[in-house]
Amino acid sequence: MAGFHVLTGSGSTIAHPKVRRIGVSDILDAMRSGLADFWDRPSHYVFLCLIYPVIGMILLTWASTGNALQLIFPLVAGFALLGPLAAIGLYEISRRRERGEDASWRYAFEVVKSPAIPSILAVGAMLMAIFLVWIFTAQALYSWLYGPTAPDALIGFIYEVLTTRQGWTLLLVGNFVGFLFALVVLSATSVAFPMLLDRDVGAYAAVATSARVMLTNPLPILLWGLMVAALLVLGTIPLLVGLAVIFPILGHATWHLYRKTVVAPPERKRRR
């Protein structure tokens, strides 16, 4: 059994994988490749990814019935922050398909046998912490503007937000703060999880490599983030059901983004 390691992976030193410069065409090609992976066996992937919108619906139901109507939008927006972790099984399917191996949906659960699972859990815990801080921040912003009392009705609250100065302040400041949270997650995890699944380099190296990918390709990665956000919004419109299709496409596309941005280790190059 592999030793329990988190920060440095299986080695004793921190890895520093090389990253490539990419362009807009590479972003679009990663999306096309993600769609191709999904289209290979769409019914399997839809079944596999139903749990993502189901969890979203549970959160929204809790907010609607638990005196937390003001948190419905932050929950929907913040739920996307957990997407990179939730898609971990999809990266495995894309990896197997790339290697010409059986890519049936059941192999998505093979990730639990990965030697990098401690590092994956560590980065996942970081994402969960960011998600919780975002929710607490959104609640604090609401309390600052409206006080401790939760809204009585969703429709009335939406009308209040759209027609009053307080509401516009909540929208503008909330969306700006949300953008900063999303930017942190994009910088830290754009390729972290696929990289950990592909090579056991440790949580620190995975997050640091994602940050270097962002710094090396700021405009393409920002475009990637905007495309992901737009598609997730599109998937949430029909009561989150569309996420069962959008989410696997984005998960597979993220694997191909990783391949385009991070240089493969020398031994993999020789095998190819």
Side-chain angles (χ1 to χ4, degrees), residues 142-153:
Y142 172 84
S143 298
W144 173 56
L145 292 169
Y146 289 94
T149 304
D152 296 325

Side-chain angles (χ1 to χ4, degrees), residues 87-191:
I88 190 74
L90 298 167
Y91 311 143
E92 174 65 14
I93 291 174
S94 285
R95 185 171 78 100
R96 295 182 67 87
R97 189 169 184 265
E98 178 185 87
R99 296 164 62 176
E101 300 174 353
D102 186 355
S104 299
W105 66 268
R106 64 181 181 275
Y107 287 104
F109 300 100
E110 290 291 307
V111 297
V112 298
K113 300 178 182 179
S114 170
I117 196 65
S119 300
I120 291 171
L121 293 176
V123 180
M126 179 193 73
L127 273 187
M128 181 59 72
I130 293 173
F131 173 74
L132 293 176
V133 171
W134 157 245
I135 296 301
F136 282 120
T137 301
Q139 176 60 39
L141 178 58
Y142 172 84
S143 298
W144 173 56
L145 292 169
Y146 289 94
T149 304
D152 296 325
L154 181 59
I155 299 300
F157 179 58
I158 293 175
Y159 180 80
E160 169 79 14
V161 168
L162 295 178
T163 59
T164 66
R165 178 175 296 180
Q166 278 180 309
W168 278 102
T169 301
L170 182 65
L171 275 178
L172 293 175
V173 177
N175 278 285
F176 175 72
V177 174
F179 169 77
L180 295 180
F181 273 88
L183 191 62
V184 169
V185 171
L186 181 65
S187 300
T189 65
S190 59
V191 299

Side-chain angles (χ1 to χ4, degrees), residues 19-35:
V19 300
R20 298 187 183 95
R21 290 188 180 276
I22 61 171
V24 173
S25 61
D26 294 298
I27 296 296
L28 298 177
D29 187 58
M31 282 292 183
R32 285 192 293 267
S33 297
L35 178 60

Side-chain angles (χ1 to χ4, degrees), residues 8-125:
T8 61
S10 58
S12 58
T13 59
I14 296 175
H16 299 282
K18 295 181 179 179
V19 300
R20 298 187 183 95
R21 290 188 180 276
I22 61 171
V24 173
S25 61
D26 294 298
I27 296 296
L28 298 177
D29 187 58
M31 282 292 183
R32 285 192 293 267
S33 297
L35 178 60
D37 283 359
F38 168 77
W39 197 250
D40 182 46
R41 291 182 181 178
S43 60
H44 289 181
Y45 301 155
V46 170
F47 171 78
L48 179 67
C49 295
L50 278 176
I51 190 169
Y52 189 69
V54 165
I55 292 175
M57 287 300 297
I58 292 172
L59 289 175
L60 293 184
T61 301
W62 167 81
S64 300
T65 60
N67 202 31
L69 291 175
Q70 72 277 12
L71 293 180
I72 286 181
F73 179 76
L75 281 170
V76 171
F79 193 46
L81 300 178
L82 302 178
L85 173 62
I88 190 74
L90 298 167
Y91 311 143
E92 174 65 14
I93 291 174
S94 285
R95 185 171 78 100
R96 295 182 67 87
R97 189 169 184 265
E98 178 185 87
R99 296 164 62 176
E101 300 174 353
D102 186 355
S104 299
W105 66 268
R106 64 181 181 275
Y107 287 104
F109 300 100
E110 290 291 307
V111 297
V112 298
K113 300 178 182 179
S114 170
I117 196 65
S119 300
I120 291 171
L121 293 176
V123 180

Side-chain angles (χ1 to χ4, degrees), residues 127-272:
L127 273 187
M128 181 59 72
I130 293 173
F131 173 74
L132 293 176
V133 171
W134 157 245
I135 296 301
F136 282 120
T137 301
Q139 176 60 39
L141 178 58
Y142 172 84
S143 298
W144 173 56
L145 292 169
Y146 289 94
T149 304
D152 296 325
L154 181 59
I155 299 300
F157 179 58
I158 293 175
Y159 180 80
E160 169 79 14
V161 168
L162 295 178
T163 59
T164 66
R165 178 175 296 180
Q166 278 180 309
W168 278 102
T169 301
L170 182 65
L171 275 178
L172 293 175
V173 177
N175 278 285
F176 175 72
V177 174
F179 169 77
L180 295 180
F181 273 88
L183 191 62
V184 169
V185 171
L186 181 65
S187 300
T189 65
S190 59
V191 299
F193 290 107
M195 183 175 175
L196 285 172
L197 192 60
D198 188 44
R199 39 180 141 162
D200 185 13
V201 296
Y204 178 86
V207 172
T209 302
S210 289
R212 288 192 290 117
V213 166
M214 178 74 172
L215 292 173
T216 304
N217 306 283
L219 293 181
I221 298 301
L222 283 175
L223 174 62
W224 169 264
L226 289 173
M227 292 175 66
V228 168
L231 288 171
L232 287 176
V233 169
L234 183 64
T236 61
I237 291 175
L239 297 176
L240 304 183
V241 175
L243 290 176
V245 174
I246 297 297
F247 182 66
I249 293 174
L250 292 177
H252 293 309
T254 300
W255 171 265
H256 295 286
L257 178 70
Y258 158 66
R259 281 293 190 224
K260 288 180 177 295
T261 54
V262 181
V263 177
E267 60 270 18
R268 178 174 289 112
K269 288 181 178 178
R270 285 195 296 267
R271 286 199 300 267
R272 291 182 175 180

